[in-house]
Amino acid sequence: MIVVAAVISIVVYRVAITAAMNKNDAVRPYSSITSSLTSAIIQVAIITILDKVYQKVAVVLTDWEMHRTQTEHEDSFTFKMFLFQFVNYYSSVFYIAFFKGKFDGYPYNYNELAGARLDQCGAGGCMIELTQQLAIIMVGKQVVNNCVELIIPKLKAWWRRRDTKDEDPDDEKCIQRWEEDYDLADLNQYGLFAEYLEMVIQYGFITLFVAAFPLAPLFALLNNIIEIRLDAYKFITTLRRPVAVRAQDIGIWYSILDGVAKLSVVTNVSFLCVE
């Protein structure tokens, strides 16, 4: 329901801002691109906020299921989080690709919402708008994730050092290495789950609608090159050393990647046919 409400609110915003700009002849030519870009930026903000909400919901639902083994618990939690994030990230993209402008009506009988014509594509179709949406959400979320991954652990370590700092300045010169490590932030209980999820969502962006945004793989490559160094810096300087745990494989992630790859064939072919 939260996802549906978010998508509907974005659609209503697009209709409202387009209708408002169309009343002014000076800004009417820019109404489409303005509504598209601003709605994509708002979508990035909504995605960032709902990330935390969906994680808490997934934890509660998985705990209620009371799985017999840790592997079953992790697979169930992973699948729920992926479904939540799939809808969170891709709902607006699917709307533009397959639904926007399809229910607009026809001349002299256009469908309206609160006196304003429904959201419609430009004369050349929705390809350009879909490309803009994909670029802003994909690149914007990658920038936000990299900033959060670098800044949050530093803030946690600074706060811990602030609480454990000795008032005697002479003692600060004799701080042992293990005491400095104690001030580092803990790795969360899900370990590398966030890293896996981020890569799978990115994989979806570069496969599901690659026909509309061929530069997506290039942006993903550049992001991964940067993130490798950021993650190395994060794990070495801002996080405590995680406890190594033996794993049989990558779990349900393989099935999810296989499903996304097969779905990408359907979405790309369907989008090209619709356009």
Side-chain angles (χ1 to χ4, degrees):
M1 293 300 294
I2 297 176
V3 177
V4 174
V7 174
I8 293 177
S9 64
I10 293 295
V11 174
V12 172
Y13 166 80
R14 295 169 66 96
V15 172
I17 194 69
T18 302
M21 295 185 68
N22 283 337
K23 295 178 180 179
N24 190 329
D25 294 337
V27 296
R28 181 179 299 173
Y30 310 103
S31 61
S32 179
I33 188 172
T34 301
S35 63
S36 177
L37 294 179
T38 55
S39 62
I41 294 173
I42 294 174
Q43 183 72 21
V44 172
I46 293 176
I47 288 172
T48 304
I49 296 172
L50 292 182
D51 273 350
K52 304 301 180 183
V53 176
Y54 291 146
Q55 181 171 333
K56 293 184 181 298
V57 173
V59 169
V60 173
L61 293 177
T62 306
D63 289 341
W64 283 352
E65 293 173 351
M66 301 180 65
H67 294 282
R68 294 179 63 250
T69 64
Q70 182 66 22
T71 300
E72 292 177 354
H73 181 278
E74 291 177 354
D75 287 347
S76 178
F77 173 74
T78 299
F79 186 66
K80 289 182 180 63
M81 278 296 297
F82 172 74
L83 288 181
F84 287 149
Q85 299 293 14
F86 184 92
V87 178
N88 191 24
Y89 280 87
Y90 304 131
S91 56
S92 62
V93 179
F94 273 91
Y95 163 73
I96 294 175
F98 299 111
F99 299 101
K100 182 179 178 181
K102 305 303 185 293
F103 308 99
D104 188 35
Y106 51 87
Y108 301 104
N109 190 26
Y110 289 115
N111 298 321
E112 296 183 349
L113 176 65
R117 184 177 168 183
L118 290 180
D119 203 14
Q120 70 273 357
C121 299
C126 290
M127 179 73 78
I128 298 300
E129 185 174 348
L130 179 60
T131 302
Q132 294 172 348
Q133 188 85 3
L134 286 167
I136 293 176
I137 294 178
M138 179 181 175
V139 178
K141 197 62 179 70
Q142 288 175 347
V143 172
V144 171
N145 280 342
N146 288 337
C147 292
V148 169
E149 289 180 3
L150 187 63
I151 294 174
I152 296 301
K154 279 187 170 294
L155 291 177
K156 289 182 178 179
W158 171 81
W159 187 260
R160 189 185 292 270
R161 286 195 301 269
R162 179 177 176 274
D163 290 341
T164 59
K165 187 177 180 181
D166 195 326
E167 296 181 358
D168 189 352
D170 294 333
D171 292 342
E172 295 181 11
K173 301 178 182 179
C174 303
I175 294 178
Q176 301 296 323
R177 180 64 189 179
W178 64 268
E179 294 179 290
E180 294 180 358
D181 292 343
Y182 175 78
D183 292 334
L184 298 178
D186 278 323
L187 184 66
N188 61 64
Q189 59 177 323
Y190 303 107
L192 297 177
F193 172 81
E195 307 295 335
Y196 275 104
L197 181 61
E198 183 180 354
M199 290 296 102
V200 172
I201 294 297
Q202 182 190 87
Y203 179 72
F205 275 115
I206 65 177
T207 55
L208 291 176
F209 294 97
V210 68
F213 189 32
L215 287 177
L218 175 61
F219 282 112
L221 175 63
L222 296 177
N223 172 77
N224 292 344
I225 292 174
I226 296 173
E227 188 161 357
I228 287 174
R229 305 313 308 163
L230 288 179
D231 284 346
Y233 177 81
K234 178 181 68 175
F235 279 101
I236 293 174
T237 64
T238 62
L239 293 176
R240 294 181 182 178
R241 180 182 298 176
V243 178
V245 179
R246 179 178 297 177
Q248 181 180 3
D249 49 33
I250 63 173
I252 199 173
W253 289 116
Y254 179 81
S255 299
I256 291 175
L257 289 170
D258 183 62
V260 171
K262 293 177 180 177
L263 180 62
S264 66
V265 178
V266 178
T267 55
N268 283 285
V269 172
S270 300
F271 174 69
L272 293 176
C273 292
V274 169
E275 281 295 300

